[in-house]
Amino acid sequence: MTSYSLNKSAAKNMTGKVNATKLNVRSKPSTSRKVLGSLKKNQIVTIITKSSS
């Protein structure tokens, strides 16, 4: 699983494209957390920090 989080101190930014029909953005990587917003398919986003687990 790869998770993405916002981190204002990141030096280089990457972009990504949403592949899901609708992608929920949450405060923590858990489906039990409140949905803060959502992204639509093909939307371009800036990736500030990337972490793998």
Side-chain angles (χ1 to χ4, degrees):
M1 179 175 146
T2 301
S3 62
Y4 298 94
S5 60
L6 299 177
N7 180 343
K8 293 182 181 180
S9 65
K12 291 185 178 182
N13 297 337
M14 301 179 295
T15 59
K17 186 171 162 182
V18 176
N19 293 323
T21 303
K22 180 181 176 185
L23 178 66
N24 289 327
V25 178
R26 299 175 188 271
S27 60
K28 300 271 184 177
S30 171
T31 56
S32 64
R33 295 291 184 155
K34 181 180 176 183
V35 175
L36 301 175
S38 62
L39 303 170
K40 296 178 182 177
K41 186 171 183 149
N42 296 322
Q43 188 171 347
I44 303 298
V45 297
T46 300
I47 301 166
I48 311 270
T49 301
K50 178 181 175 183
S51 62
S52 297
S53 57

